[in-house]
Amino acid sequence: MKQIFNKLKWTGKKAYFWYVSRGGAGGEEVASTDDVVEVGSEGLVIRVGSRERYIPYHRIVEIRLESGEVLLNRRK
């Protein structure tokens, strides 16, 4: 998954990703690559408002390019 986010970062393509969140409606939240502050070995750091949040890769369930192309779908 790290490779996907690094590729998006270096190509400048915008994508949206959905991740499992205890506080989100329906148990999920969505963020975009514009929110990514750091691509780490085990997860991402995103900016939400004025705060930063760590999202482990295992909680990411879908990645979709702005064009609609699905890069990853781990929903059951």
mmCIF file of all heavy atoms in Angstrom, residues 27-58:
data_model
loop_
_atom_site.group_PDB
_atom_site.id
_atom_site.type_symbol
_atom_site.label_atom_id
_atom_site.label_comp_id
_atom_site.label_asym_id
_atom_site.label_seq_id
_atom_site.Cartn_x
_atom_site.Cartn_y
_atom_site.Cartn_z
ATOM 1 N N GLY A 27 -18.902 3.904 10.456
ATOM 2 C CA GLY A 27 -17.632 3.275 10.792
ATOM 3 C C GLY A 27 -16.493 3.589 9.848
ATOM 4 O O GLY A 27 -15.422 3.012 9.968
ATOM 5 N N GLU A 28 -16.726 4.480 8.878
ATOM 6 C CA GLU A 28 -15.691 4.853 7.917
ATOM 7 C C GLU A 28 -15.615 6.370 7.759
ATOM 8 O O GLU A 28 -16.594 7.067 7.986
ATOM 9 C CB GLU A 28 -15.968 4.253 6.534
ATOM 10 C CG GLU A 28 -15.792 2.776 6.459
ATOM 11 C CD GLU A 28 -15.980 2.234 5.044
ATOM 12 O OE1 GLU A 28 -16.188 3.008 4.089
ATOM 13 O OE2 GLU A 28 -15.922 1.019 4.924
ATOM 14 N N GLU A 29 -14.437 6.824 7.349
ATOM 15 C CA GLU A 29 -14.240 8.220 6.957
ATOM 16 C C GLU A 29 -13.498 8.212 5.640
ATOM 17 O O GLU A 29 -12.902 7.217 5.237
ATOM 18 C CB GLU A 29 -13.441 8.972 8.022
ATOM 19 C CG GLU A 29 -14.229 9.206 9.302
ATOM 20 C CD GLU A 29 -13.505 10.127 10.275
ATOM 21 O OE1 GLU A 29 -13.047 11.193 9.845
ATOM 22 O OE2 GLU A 29 -13.397 9.735 11.449
ATOM 23 N N VAL A 30 -13.524 9.352 4.954
ATOM 24 C CA VAL A 30 -12.836 9.485 3.676
ATOM 25 C C VAL A 30 -11.877 10.670 3.754
ATOM 26 O O VAL A 30 -12.158 11.664 4.421
ATOM 27 C CB VAL A 30 -13.845 9.648 2.508
ATOM 28 C CG1 VAL A 30 -14.643 10.921 2.634
ATOM 29 C CG2 VAL A 30 -13.149 9.579 1.167
ATOM 30 N N ALA A 31 -10.747 10.520 3.084
ATOM 31 C CA ALA A 31 -9.757 11.592 2.996
ATOM 32 C C ALA A 31 -9.213 11.583 1.569
ATOM 33 O O ALA A 31 -9.471 10.650 0.797
ATOM 34 C CB ALA A 31 -8.630 11.373 4.000
ATOM 35 N N SER A 32 -8.466 12.603 1.216
ATOM 36 C CA SER A 32 -7.862 12.647 -0.115
ATOM 37 C C SER A 32 -6.351 12.711 0.017
ATOM 38 O O SER A 32 -5.810 12.970 1.100
ATOM 39 C CB SER A 32 -8.377 13.848 -0.914
ATOM 40 O OG SER A 32 -7.694 15.015 -0.546
ATOM 41 N N THR A 33 -5.682 12.495 -1.097
ATOM 42 C CA THR A 33 -4.225 12.571 -1.086
ATOM 43 C C THR A 33 -3.752 13.984 -0.751
ATOM 44 O O THR A 33 -2.623 14.150 -0.311
ATOM 45 C CB THR A 33 -3.641 12.113 -2.435
ATOM 46 O OG1 THR A 33 -4.328 12.775 -3.504
ATOM 47 C CG2 THR A 33 -3.780 10.606 -2.606
ATOM 48 N N ASP A 34 -4.607 14.986 -0.922
ATOM 49 C CA ASP A 34 -4.256 16.352 -0.523
ATOM 50 C C ASP A 34 -4.074 16.457 0.986
ATOM 51 O O ASP A 34 -3.382 17.354 1.474
ATOM 52 C CB ASP A 34 -5.343 17.350 -0.950
ATOM 53 C CG ASP A 34 -5.442 17.507 -2.452
ATOM 54 O OD1 ASP A 34 -4.470 17.158 -3.167
ATOM 55 O OD2 ASP A 34 -6.494 17.975 -2.929
ATOM 56 N N ASP A 35 -4.693 15.551 1.748
ATOM 57 C CA ASP A 35 -4.623 15.561 3.207
ATOM 58 C C ASP A 35 -3.386 14.849 3.752
ATOM 59 O O ASP A 35 -3.086 14.961 4.939
ATOM 60 C CB ASP A 35 -5.868 14.888 3.810
ATOM 61 C CG ASP A 35 -7.161 15.540 3.372
ATOM 62 O OD1 ASP A 35 -7.198 16.771 3.245
ATOM 63 O OD2 ASP A 35 -8.145 14.807 3.155
ATOM 64 N N VAL A 36 -2.673 14.100 2.903
ATOM 65 C CA VAL A 36 -1.548 13.287 3.361
ATOM 66 C C VAL A 36 -0.344 14.177 3.678
ATOM 67 O O VAL A 36 0.115 14.956 2.852
ATOM 68 C CB VAL A 36 -1.167 12.217 2.315
ATOM 69 C CG1 VAL A 36 0.079 11.451 2.735
ATOM 70 C CG2 VAL A 36 -2.325 11.266 2.085
ATOM 71 N N VAL A 37 0.149 14.035 4.907
ATOM 72 C CA VAL A 37 1.315 14.775 5.365
ATOM 73 C C VAL A 37 2.571 13.915 5.228
ATOM 74 O O VAL A 37 3.636 14.399 4.866
ATOM 75 C CB VAL A 37 1.144 15.203 6.848
ATOM 76 C CG1 VAL A 37 2.387 15.862 7.395
ATOM 77 C CG2 VAL A 37 -0.073 16.099 7.006
ATOM 78 N N GLU A 38 2.422 12.610 5.512
ATOM 79 C CA GLU A 38 3.572 11.706 5.491
ATOM 80 C C GLU A 38 3.134 10.310 5.087
ATOM 81 O O GLU A 38 2.093 9.824 5.527
ATOM 82 C CB GLU A 38 4.190 11.650 6.889
ATOM 83 C CG GLU A 38 5.384 10.759 7.020
ATOM 84 C CD GLU A 38 5.907 10.710 8.445
ATOM 85 O OE1 GLU A 38 5.683 11.663 9.213
ATOM 86 O OE2 GLU A 38 6.526 9.692 8.792
ATOM 87 N N VAL A 39 3.941 9.671 4.233
ATOM 88 C CA VAL A 39 3.734 8.278 3.851
ATOM 89 C C VAL A 39 4.784 7.466 4.602
ATOM 90 O O VAL A 39 5.972 7.569 4.322
ATOM 91 C CB VAL A 39 3.885 8.080 2.322
ATOM 92 C CG1 VAL A 39 3.720 6.613 1.960
ATOM 93 C CG2 VAL A 39 2.892 8.940 1.565
ATOM 94 N N GLY A 40 4.334 6.680 5.577
ATOM 95 C CA GLY A 40 5.253 5.897 6.397
ATOM 96 C C GLY A 40 5.281 4.440 5.995
ATOM 97 O O GLY A 40 4.571 4.014 5.085
ATOM 98 N N SER A 41 6.080 3.664 6.697
ATOM 99 C CA SER A 41 6.221 2.249 6.365
ATOM 100 C C SER A 41 5.001 1.429 6.776
ATOM 101 O O SER A 41 4.678 0.432 6.145
ATOM 102 C CB SER A 41 7.477 1.672 7.010
ATOM 103 O OG SER A 41 7.398 1.793 8.413
ATOM 104 N N GLU A 42 4.292 1.860 7.825
ATOM 105 C CA GLU A 42 3.142 1.114 8.328
ATOM 106 C C GLU A 42 1.811 1.859 8.188
ATOM 107 O O GLU A 42 0.769 1.309 8.506
ATOM 108 C CB GLU A 42 3.356 0.751 9.801
ATOM 109 C CG GLU A 42 4.594 -0.090 10.059
ATOM 110 C CD GLU A 42 4.496 -1.475 9.462
ATOM 111 O OE1 GLU A 42 3.403 -2.061 9.496
ATOM 112 O OE2 GLU A 42 5.525 -1.973 8.972
ATOM 113 N N GLY A 43 1.869 3.135 7.764
ATOM 114 C CA GLY A 43 0.641 3.910 7.653
ATOM 115 C C GLY A 43 0.889 5.330 7.195
ATOM 116 O O GLY A 43 2.019 5.706 6.873
ATOM 117 N N LEU A 44 -0.175 6.113 7.175
ATOM 118 C CA LEU A 44 -0.142 7.503 6.723
ATOM 119 C C LEU A 44 -0.395 8.456 7.881
ATOM 120 O O LEU A 44 -1.096 8.109 8.824
ATOM 121 C CB LEU A 44 -1.272 7.764 5.719
ATOM 122 C CG LEU A 44 -1.365 6.946 4.464
ATOM 123 C CD1 LEU A 44 -2.692 7.219 3.789
ATOM 124 C CD2 LEU A 44 -0.228 7.290 3.544
ATOM 125 N N VAL A 45 0.127 9.659 7.742
ATOM 126 C CA VAL A 45 -0.266 10.748 8.621
ATOM 127 C C VAL A 45 -1.047 11.713 7.748
ATOM 128 O O VAL A 45 -0.565 12.129 6.687
ATOM 129 C CB VAL A 45 0.953 11.459 9.259
ATOM 130 C CG1 VAL A 45 0.505 12.638 10.100
ATOM 131 C CG2 VAL A 45 1.764 10.481 10.093
ATOM 132 N N ILE A 46 -2.284 12.028 8.166
ATOM 133 C CA ILE A 46 -3.108 12.973 7.414
ATOM 134 C C ILE A 46 -3.430 14.178 8.291
ATOM 135 O O ILE A 46 -3.402 14.093 9.515
ATOM 136 C CB ILE A 46 -4.414 12.334 6.896
ATOM 137 C CG1 ILE A 46 -5.322 11.883 8.039
ATOM 138 C CG2 ILE A 46 -4.123 11.199 5.942
ATOM 139 C CD1 ILE A 46 -6.713 11.452 7.598
ATOM 140 N N ARG A 47 -3.724 15.279 7.638
ATOM 141 C CA ARG A 47 -4.145 16.477 8.350
ATOM 142 C C ARG A 47 -5.662 16.573 8.274
ATOM 143 O O ARG A 47 -6.245 16.513 7.200
ATOM 144 C CB ARG A 47 -3.519 17.728 7.748
ATOM 145 C CG ARG A 47 -3.890 18.987 8.507
ATOM 146 C CD ARG A 47 -3.082 20.194 8.116
ATOM 147 N NE ARG A 47 -1.647 20.000 8.154
ATOM 148 C CZ ARG A 47 -0.892 20.016 9.263
ATOM 149 N NH1 ARG A 47 -1.456 20.197 10.424
ATOM 150 N NH2 ARG A 47 0.411 19.862 9.187
ATOM 151 N N VAL A 48 -6.272 16.697 9.448
ATOM 152 C CA VAL A 48 -7.722 16.852 9.560
ATOM 153 C C VAL A 48 -7.942 18.158 10.309
ATOM 154 O O VAL A 48 -7.730 18.217 11.521
ATOM 155 C CB VAL A 48 -8.364 15.665 10.315
ATOM 156 C CG1 VAL A 48 -9.869 15.854 10.414
ATOM 157 C CG2 VAL A 48 -8.023 14.345 9.644
ATOM 158 N N GLY A 49 -8.307 19.203 9.579
ATOM 159 C CA GLY A 49 -8.422 20.525 10.195
ATOM 160 C C GLY A 49 -7.042 20.990 10.623
ATOM 161 O O GLY A 49 -6.115 21.017 9.826
ATOM 162 N N SER A 50 -6.885 21.303 11.886
ATOM 163 C CA SER A 50 -5.585 21.743 12.392
ATOM 164 C C SER A 50 -4.840 20.617 13.103
ATOM 165 O O SER A 50 -3.783 20.842 13.677
ATOM 166 C CB SER A 50 -5.772 22.921 13.352
ATOM 167 O OG SER A 50 -6.555 22.509 14.462
ATOM 168 N N ARG A 51 -5.373 19.409 13.055
ATOM 169 C CA ARG A 51 -4.764 18.274 13.748
ATOM 170 C C ARG A 51 -4.232 17.251 12.752
ATOM 171 O O ARG A 51 -4.677 17.205 11.607
ATOM 172 C CB ARG A 51 -5.787 17.604 14.660
ATOM 173 C CG ARG A 51 -6.408 18.582 15.632
ATOM 174 C CD ARG A 51 -7.465 17.938 16.444
ATOM 175 N NE ARG A 51 -6.822 17.441 17.664
ATOM 176 C CZ ARG A 51 -7.402 16.645 18.532
ATOM 177 N NH1 ARG A 51 -8.627 16.228 18.321
ATOM 178 N NH2 ARG A 51 -6.772 16.259 19.611
ATOM 179 N N GLU A 52 -3.309 16.433 13.232
ATOM 180 C CA GLU A 52 -2.800 15.334 12.423
ATOM 181 C C GLU A 52 -3.311 14.019 12.994
ATOM 182 O O GLU A 52 -3.501 13.891 14.201
ATOM 183 C CB GLU A 52 -1.276 15.344 12.391
ATOM 184 C CG GLU A 52 -0.737 16.515 11.600
ATOM 185 C CD GLU A 52 0.776 16.480 11.434
ATOM 186 O OE1 GLU A 52 1.445 15.618 12.051
ATOM 187 O OE2 GLU A 52 1.281 17.324 10.690
ATOM 188 N N ARG A 53 -3.538 13.058 12.092
ATOM 189 C CA ARG A 53 -4.069 11.753 12.496
ATOM 190 C C ARG A 53 -3.274 10.670 11.764
ATOM 191 O O ARG A 53 -3.019 10.770 10.575
ATOM 192 C CB ARG A 53 -5.538 11.667 12.110
ATOM 193 C CG ARG A 53 -6.205 10.367 12.505
ATOM 194 C CD ARG A 53 -7.642 10.321 12.080
ATOM 195 N NE ARG A 53 -8.395 11.344 12.793
ATOM 196 C CZ ARG A 53 -9.639 11.677 12.487
ATOM 197 N NH1 ARG A 53 -10.249 11.090 11.477
ATOM 198 N NH2 ARG A 53 -10.266 12.597 13.164
ATOM 199 N N TYR A 54 -2.914 9.636 12.512
ATOM 200 C CA TYR A 54 -2.203 8.486 11.944
ATOM 201 C C TYR A 54 -3.217 7.431 11.515
ATOM 202 O O TYR A 54 -4.088 7.047 12.300
ATOM 203 C CB TYR A 54 -1.234 7.904 12.975
ATOM 204 C CG TYR A 54 -0.510 6.677 12.494
ATOM 205 C CD1 TYR A 54 0.520 6.779 11.569
ATOM 206 C CD2 TYR A 54 -0.857 5.411 12.945
ATOM 207 C CE1 TYR A 54 1.195 5.661 11.117
ATOM 208 C CE2 TYR A 54 -0.193 4.282 12.505
ATOM 209 C CZ TYR A 54 0.827 4.416 11.585
ATOM 210 O OH TYR A 54 1.489 3.304 11.131
ATOM 211 N N ILE A 55 -3.108 6.957 10.270
ATOM 212 C CA ILE A 55 -3.995 5.923 9.736
ATOM 213 C C ILE A 55 -3.128 4.723 9.331
ATOM 214 O O ILE A 55 -2.387 4.793 8.345
ATOM 215 C CB ILE A 55 -4.780 6.411 8.488
ATOM 216 C CG1 ILE A 55 -5.477 7.746 8.737
ATOM 217 C CG2 ILE A 55 -5.746 5.331 8.006
ATOM 218 C CD1 ILE A 55 -6.539 7.721 9.782
ATOM 219 N N PRO A 56 -3.203 3.615 10.069
ATOM 220 C CA PRO A 56 -2.457 2.416 9.662
ATOM 221 C C PRO A 56 -3.017 1.875 8.345
ATOM 222 O O PRO A 56 -4.218 1.950 8.089
ATOM 223 C CB PRO A 56 -2.706 1.423 10.795
ATOM 224 C CG PRO A 56 -3.343 2.191 11.899
ATOM 225 C CD PRO A 56 -3.941 3.422 11.304
ATOM 226 N N TYR A 57 -2.143 1.330 7.516
ATOM 227 C CA TYR A 57 -2.578 0.813 6.216
ATOM 228 C C TYR A 57 -3.659 -0.260 6.336
ATOM 229 O O TYR A 57 -4.529 -0.353 5.474
ATOM 230 C CB TYR A 57 -1.394 0.245 5.427
ATOM 231 C CG TYR A 57 -0.412 1.302 4.971
ATOM 232 C CD1 TYR A 57 0.942 1.135 5.156
ATOM 233 C CD2 TYR A 57 -0.847 2.462 4.344
ATOM 234 C CE1 TYR A 57 1.846 2.083 4.729
ATOM 235 C CE2 TYR A 57 0.044 3.429 3.921
ATOM 236 C CZ TYR A 57 1.402 3.233 4.111
ATOM 237 O OH TYR A 57 2.287 4.185 3.695
ATOM 238 N N HIS A 58 -3.636 -1.063 7.383
ATOM 239 C CA HIS A 58 -4.625 -2.138 7.488
ATOM 240 C C HIS A 58 -6.047 -1.606 7.694
ATOM 241 O O HIS A 58 -6.999 -2.339 7.511
ATOM 242 C CB HIS A 58 -4.255 -3.126 8.605
ATOM 243 C CG HIS A 58 -4.389 -2.589 9.990
ATOM 244 N ND1 HIS A 58 -3.346 -1.971 10.640
ATOM 245 C CD2 HIS A 58 -5.443 -2.560 10.839
ATOM 246 C CE1 HIS A 58 -3.762 -1.597 11.841
ATOM 247 N NE2 HIS A 58 -5.028 -1.931 11.987
#
